[in-house]
Amino acid sequence: MSPVNRRQFLASGAAGAAALAKHSSIKRVKTPLTPQYRVYDHLLNPREHPDDIHRPVRAPGWDTYGYRTRFAGGGFGVDNDQIVNVAQVIEKMKDKFGLADAFQATYNILYAENLAEAATEIKKQGAFLHDIEGYIPGCGPGGGMTQFTAPSQPLELIEAELGDHWLGMCNAEQDGRYIGQHAPQLYPSCAGPYEQYLNFHRHFEQLHDDLGNRKIMAIVTLNYGHYLLKEGLYTLIGAETAQGLPNAQLYYSFIRGAGKQYGVPWWAIESVFNRWGYKRYGGKNHNAGYPCGPTKGASLSLLKRLRYSEILYNCVLVGYEQSYFYIDTPPGEDKLSPIGVMQQASRRWVDTVGSVEQLGVMLTPVAVMLDFFSGWTFPRHLYSENIYRAWGNLPYREGGYLTHGVLNMLYPTYQDSSYYHDETGFISPAPYGDGVDCLLSDAESWLLARYPLLVIGGELTGGIEIRDKLAGYVEGGGNLVITAGSLAKLPGGLCGVQLAEAPRQFAAKTAVQAGKKRLVEDFPFLLHPLSFPVEATVAASSGSTPAVVEVTSGAGKLTVIASPFGVSGESTVKGPITSRVDEPLANPFPLLKHVRHVLDGAFRAQVLFEVGDGLSLIACRKKPGEYTLGICNNTLHEQPLK
């Protein structure tokens, strides 16, 4: 099996910037505070995770990084079995230009004769060796990438010398390669979600064995990081953003969710590529037929917005992919490119702000939970031409379209990321703020309790354990939203609500009354008749059939949507669906109007700040009453900041 070469794949195939303001200059939403407003503003500490002491690899905490975001850039080369210019690279990037203090290398340093001396120099300079890359399953030698078995002695040497400044071998982009190339070759490709998960697990078990089952850093290209971190081998999880890759906000919703579930910090790389070229300064504006130059690749605007967003996400490490310098300057006369200038400026800003506590802890009041075995991923992406697939093989079921609908409400146009020349979708407007974590159903009760709102965003496998966990979440003060299709999988229902009989069919143009709002559904839909306590509230109904029921249990509230999965009962698209550049992707099973209405109310109840329509907003809490806000205009036209 040959690997996906992203550069070849890309070849085939906005104005704004981060703004900062204290809350005093932004209008706060004047919604009365209720118990559902909870502010969890503690940084991730891997030592506090219940499984930390049992894991073969213990992830580094913020203390390793001096409680401030560190910067990655550049790497070490090998020539004639010698690692060259280690001191010079560190001096140039760290001291002379103030660009980076974390560096990477390719796998051939493991076989270099002077590895011990290089590790000693890295330690002496107080730098980090953040990953060793180049492992590609199924790839032969050549081009710096291959499948190999990492020798144990060099790994032991690096770990002994660098300690927590050594962050591990690199599992780079393998979830995307698995979904795009490996999964379709498995038989039967139509195996159910559980079997698909086992196939994924076996594939990465081999990768972990080859990399020595020691420290590993993850760079995901889709959203399968939860399955990797569960293995207990990872020091960091992150992704490249821009390029041909998914929406950064949703990317990091999954990455943060995985990190919080399994006690692993996150990091970020901003790529200078897009599907049509990449940024390079100086020299010829082409490279093996792939266009490059100052105006190619991701825009400087996008790269800047991504950088400051990812710092505000509380990434422990950030860095641009490449292109820090003009390449045609004489030796010793290095000149920073605009990429280098932006890296230098963002590092200086972080140093000026001070510790991460002084910047603030990102607030994520909303959690969206998917089933552990769902294997859901983005409707369209770089690694496959197939659309609306889970595990790379399985067409979305209704639960998958519910996931898409919920996430599209939170991050509109996320599915367009990388498909538009104007960079639509890489960062979306965030109508409820950029403050969502995506969890899997194995998330434990102590983590769920940190979120005032939990939405079951797909089809749960179900069972007594998840039922009791969700009931405990509500009784403890949480606000849970679930559809009837997942409620049906919980033995005995939840908080006194359960399905009473088979679903009823409603025709297109049927009205649903939600309070004072009358919503006429455009498409046919189903509603499950529900059994519920007499004290429950019918929040929406169609005729005599409840469409949404709310019930209080303990200190919290359960909202049950009677639709199986909140989407239309039949496809709204006639004929095949295609994915084309600069065109939207048709959605055959959109959310029902009354479902959107219910979710809109739940999401708006968690909005702490408003800045105006069409902008994205990240809120970080510094201390009671003091916040850092990151505000981005992600369009190509001016927008008002209100």
Side-chain angles (χ1 to χ4, degrees):
M1 180 181 71
S2 61
V4 170
N5 182 312
R6 284 187 304 150
R7 310 309 182 209
Q8 294 175 356
F9 205 121
L10 286 167
S12 63
L20 300 174
K22 287 190 176 181
H23 76 287
S24 58
S25 62
I26 304 295
K27 186 183 81 172
R28 299 189 71 176
V29 179
K30 296 180 180 179
T31 303
L33 293 180
T34 71
Q36 67 183 345
Y37 276 83
R38 302 186 215 167
V39 176
Y40 187 84
D41 62 347
H42 299 280
L43 291 168
L44 177 76
N45 182 356
R47 303 292 81 79
E48 295 176 349
H49 194 281
D51 294 333
D52 183 64
I53 61 173
H54 306 298
R55 290 176 172 161
V57 170
R58 304 183 75 192
W62 275 100
D63 55 336
T64 299
Y65 302 95
Y67 291 94
R68 65 181 178 87
T69 300
R70 297 298 184 116
F71 289 77
F76 306 119
V78 176
D79 185 27
N80 292 324
D81 296 327
Q82 297 287 317
I83 305 172
V84 296
N85 301 325
V86 173
Q88 293 88 335
V89 169
I90 297 175
E91 190 277 333
K92 173 182 173 180
M93 298 295 289
K94 178 172 175 282
D95 300 320
K96 182 177 180 181
F97 288 99
L99 295 173
D101 51 12
F103 304 90
Q104 65 179 153
T106 55
Y107 72 94
N108 52 5
I109 75 161
L110 297 173
Y111 307 97
E113 296 172 355
N114 64 335
L115 178 61
E117 293 87 341
T120 299
E121 184 63 33
I122 295 170
K123 179 179 181 180
K124 175 184 173 183
Q125 298 284 352
F128 292 83
L129 181 59
H130 66 80
D131 71 77
I132 294 178
E133 63 178 9
Y135 179 93
I136 305 289
C139 187
M145 297 184 178
T146 187
Q147 182 170 341
F148 63 91
T149 301
S152 59
Q153 187 174 355
L155 292 179
E156 292 169 0
L157 184 157
I158 295 172
E159 190 162 343
E161 186 68 21
L162 295 180
D164 60 8
H165 278 222
W166 154 239
L167 300 174
M169 301 297 291
C170 193
N171 173 358
E173 308 162 16
Q174 301 305 330
D175 61 336
R177 290 189 177 98
Y178 173 87
I179 293 301
Q181 288 200 296
H182 188 75
Q185 299 183 52
L186 299 176
Y187 180 84
S189 62
C190 61
Y194 176 68
E195 289 77 12
Q196 298 282 351
Y197 164 70
L198 293 180
N199 290 336
F200 183 95
H201 177 79
R202 294 185 192 102
H203 179 86
F204 284 93
E205 186 176 38
Q206 179 65 57
L207 179 147
H208 296 150
D209 288 346
D210 287 349
L211 296 184
N213 283 308
R214 292 175 175 270
K215 291 181 177 181
I216 303 175
M217 288 180 65
I219 302 176
V220 294
T221 45
L222 294 176
N223 58 309
Y224 291 91
H226 291 75
Y227 305 111
L228 302 177
L229 298 197
K230 193 175 179 69
E231 301 303 312
L233 297 170
Y234 286 82
T235 59
L236 291 178
I237 178 173
E240 290 187 9
T241 51
Q243 207 197 89
L245 296 169
N247 169 279
Q249 297 148 307
L250 189 51
Y251 232 168
Y252 276 84
S253 293
F254 278 95
I255 287 168
R256 285 191 308 270
K260 292 175 183 180
Q261 270 195 240
Y262 304 111
V264 176
W266 42 94
W267 69 305
I269 304 170
E270 302 88 17
S271 175
V272 301
F273 283 74
N274 64 16
R275 289 178 179 265
W276 304 285
Y278 68 99
K279 284 244 174 318
R280 188 170 72 171
Y281 296 88
K284 296 180 179 179
N285 292 335
H286 64 86
N287 183 16
Y290 197 61
C292 62
T295 62
K296 303 298 182 181
S299 72
L300 294 175
S301 168
L302 176 61
L303 293 172
K304 187 173 184 179
R305 284 178 281 130
L306 289 169
R307 165 56 54 84
Y308 286 94
S309 295
E310 287 155 7
I311 292 173
L312 292 172
Y313 289 166
N314 297 145
C315 288
V316 298
L317 182 68
V318 296
Y320 289 115
E321 182 182 25
Q322 61 183 54
S323 303
Y324 290 97
F325 297 94
Y326 285 87
I327 64 172
D328 52 1
T329 56
E333 298 180 18
D334 298 301
K335 179 183 176 183
L336 285 177
S337 72
I339 302 293
V341 171
M342 291 197 300
Q343 171 102 340
Q344 191 181 66
S346 60
R347 188 174 186 225
R348 188 182 301 118
W349 178 71
V350 166
D351 290 342
T352 301
V353 170
S355 68
V356 65
E357 292 99 333
Q358 291 169 298
L359 175 66
V361 178
M362 183 189 181
L363 300 181
T364 55
V366 178
V368 175
M369 178 183 283
L370 308 184
D371 190 76
F372 181 82
F373 298 109
S374 69
W376 183 93
T377 197
F378 312 105
R380 56 176 173 175
H381 55 78
L382 172 67
Y383 288 90
S384 174
E385 293 184 358
N386 293 326
I387 56 175
Y388 294 118
R389 293 287 191 273
W391 291 119
N393 291 325
L394 302 179
Y396 278 13
R397 293 163 56 91
E398 285 181 294
Y401 286 102
L402 170 61
T403 305
H404 172 48
V406 169
L407 297 178
N408 186 253
M409 282 188 68
L410 294 163
Y411 300 113
T413 73
Y414 85 87
Q415 69 276 7
D416 294 331
S417 180
S418 86
Y419 284 87
Y420 276 73
H421 284 81
D422 67 1
E423 299 183 329
T424 293
F426 278 117
I427 309 179
S428 300
Y432 312 102
D434 186 358
V436 182
D437 291 337
C438 292
L439 308 176
L440 298 187
S441 56
D442 62 329
E444 297 186 41
S445 298
W446 57 263
L447 179 59
L448 298 184
R450 298 175 180 177
Y451 299 92
L453 175 62
L454 174 63
V455 176
I456 305 303
E459 180 179 1
L460 292 179
T461 300
I464 295 175
E465 181 181 358
I466 185 67
R467 179 202 67 188
D468 291 349
K469 183 163 55 178
L470 294 178
Y473 168 78
V474 175
E475 291 168 4
N479 184 359
L480 174 66
V481 180
I482 190 171
T483 61
S486 287
L487 181 67
K489 303 292 184 69
L490 306 180
L494 195 61
C495 303
V497 183
Q498 54 185 317
L499 275 59
E501 55 185 82
R504 297 174 183 171
Q505 178 79 42
F506 293 80
K509 306 305 177 182
T510 299
V512 176
Q513 192 70 34
K516 296 181 179 180
K517 201 170 187 68
R518 185 174 184 269
L519 302 163
V520 178
E521 298 292 354
D522 294 327
F523 308 106
F525 61 97
L526 298 173
L527 294 179
H528 278 278
L530 301 172
S531 169
F532 47 86
V534 293
E535 64 271 17
T537 299
V538 177
S541 61
S542 182
S544 61
T545 303
V548 180
V549 171
E550 297 176 349
V551 59
T552 299
S553 180
K557 184 178 76 171
L558 169 68
T559 300
V560 176
I561 296 170
S563 166
F565 294 103
V567 299
S568 61
E570 61 182 39
S571 177
T572 64
V573 178
K574 305 303 180 184
I577 302 173
T578 58
S579 174
R580 295 190 178 95
V581 169
D582 292 323
E583 293 183 11
L585 181 66
N587 181 2
F589 294 96
L591 289 179
L592 298 168
K593 290 181 180 178
H594 74 274
V595 175
R596 293 185 67 90
H597 176 74
V598 170
L599 291 172
D600 177 74
F603 293 145
R604 290 200 182 280
Q606 299 306 321
V607 174
L608 296 177
F609 300 95
E610 287 180 335
V611 294
D613 295 336
L615 303 176
S616 63
L617 168 68
I618 304 166
C620 297
R621 190 173 191 252
K622 301 170 69 173
K623 59 184 179 181
E626 190 170 343
Y627 297 78
T628 300
L629 302 184
I631 306 163
C632 286
N633 173 8
N634 302 301
T635 70
L636 293 178
H637 55 269
E638 185 177 290
Q639 302 241 50
L641 170 62
K642 296 181 181 179

